[in-house]
Amino acid sequence: EILVFFLFFNFQKLPSVADAADKLWEHWQQNPLRVAGSLPVKLLGVWWMRSSPADEICLTFEGDTFDPQTRQLTSDFMQECTWTFGAHTVGYLSYVLLLLCGRSCLVYRFNETYAHASIKLYIWWVVPIPDCILKAELTQEDNVGDQFARRTWLFGQLHLYRCYTLRKVIDKSGNKVAVDFQQMESAEAERGRSGVQGIPRRSCTLWSPKATQVSSEKQPLTSGSA
Ligand SMILES: *[C@@H]1O[C@H](CO)[C@@H](O)[C@H](O)[C@H]1NC(C)=O
């Protein structure tokens, strides 16, 4: 089956970091593409990419696809409402860099307790980047699963620009994890003030390209049609 992808890159500028987190949550709740209920609840919700040197703010796994048999979570770069960037130059550059990667994905392979995942990048979904070039992992750091460490190695060296902590700020039921949510807002505002361009980080850019999938095959005829 040949698929044609039309990509519409629609930036959406949001008034605040809190709005970005809310948007990531709300977008998926009634969405038929929301990740299967089989995903362990500790992975649901919205995560702050705390202490990420890159200008990115939060992410969610809710729009990913999940296979409970293999415990494999696939995160499509082109999926909308999964990732937010800051509205600084660096945020835009990160966004452009991702666009250049094209329709790629990250595949998380979790262990039995979902406390650890190895992460592999597939360029254009088919070319796996070997571990000796790029290797990443996610490791749970607390008892409940509200915090994970994300580490990345580039050519065998820990790549600090891609190392950060994932901290849950909206839980599986949509409740804000008060302390962490406030910490996210103040920390991101602080970072904005000392930003390269000195622009307050009141707004952030929601990275929400829309990938419209058009099959080259005809739609099956609906039964009963004349
Ligand atoms: C899963 O990973 C965690 C964290 O690295 C580790 O403590 C645990 O033993 C692993 N569980 C299994 C079943 O491999």
Side-chain angles (χ1 to χ4, degrees):
E1 190 187 13
I2 301 162
L3 295 174
V4 184
F5 294 101
F6 291 103
L7 303 178
F8 301 100
F9 304 114
N10 63 332
F11 282 98
Q12 209 176 335
K13 223 165 180 191
L14 298 162
S16 71
V17 167
D19 287 302
D22 287 343
K23 173 87 185 182
L24 291 193
W25 166 257
E26 283 158 15
H27 181 84
W28 293 108
Q29 296 322 296
Q30 306 303 325
N31 196 309
L33 295 179
R34 190 180 179 216
V35 74
S38 49
L39 186 71
V41 290
K42 72 177 174 185
L43 294 172
L44 295 176
V46 177
W47 302 81
W48 172 30
M49 299 156 93
R50 189 174 80 191
S51 64
S52 170
D55 193 15
E56 50 193 0
I57 299 159
C58 45
L59 62 78
T60 181
F61 299 117
E62 301 225 349
D64 294 351
T65 50
F66 179 63
D67 179 352
Q69 302 297 312
T70 55
R71 296 187 299 275
Q72 194 167 299
L73 184 73
T74 305
S75 190
D76 184 342
F77 278 22
M78 298 287 113
Q79 184 61 272
E80 62 179 325
C81 286
T82 57
W83 208 337
T84 62
F85 290 100
H88 283 297
T89 314
V90 182
Y92 287 113
L93 285 179
S94 315
Y95 176 81
V96 169
L97 199 69
L98 277 167
L99 290 192
L100 293 177
C101 289
R103 202 178 170 88
S104 302
C105 64
L106 285 180
V107 175
Y108 298 74
R109 291 191 181 88
F110 282 93
N111 77 0
E112 284 168 31
T113 54
Y114 290 89
H116 182 269
S118 64
I119 308 170
K120 213 166 177 60
L121 170 65
Y122 288 76
I123 297 284
W124 309 306
W125 280 70
V126 286
V127 186
I129 303 303
D131 282 357
C132 61
I133 296 178
L134 185 73
K135 188 169 99 92
E137 58 181 45
L138 207 57
T139 310
Q140 188 174 323
E141 289 193 317
D142 61 350
N143 293 329
V144 283
D146 285 347
Q147 184 166 313
F148 283 83
R150 161 70 193 260
R151 291 190 195 87
T152 304
W153 290 263
L154 196 61
F155 298 106
Q157 301 288 312
L158 203 58
H159 184 40
L160 293 178
Y161 195 70
R162 298 302 311 142
C163 291
Y164 51 82
T165 303
L166 274 187
R167 185 78 207 168
K168 195 179 291 172
V169 288
I170 297 183
D171 73 10
K172 61 181 184 344
S173 316
N175 299 315
K176 292 192 168 88
V177 186
V179 175
D180 298 294
F181 201 93
Q182 281 156 18
Q183 209 196 338
M184 171 178 74
E185 288 188 285
S186 54
E188 294 295 336
E190 187 60 38
R191 188 155 77 144
R193 272 194 288 278
S194 59
V196 181
Q197 301 181 335
I199 301 167
R201 196 172 166 146
R202 282 189 309 266
S203 62
C204 61
T205 303
L206 180 66
W207 185 57
S208 61
K210 279 205 178 73
T212 306
Q213 190 172 310
V214 180
S215 172
S216 61
E217 291 181 357
K218 279 187 179 170
Q219 292 291 315
L221 290 171
T222 50
S223 58
S225 61

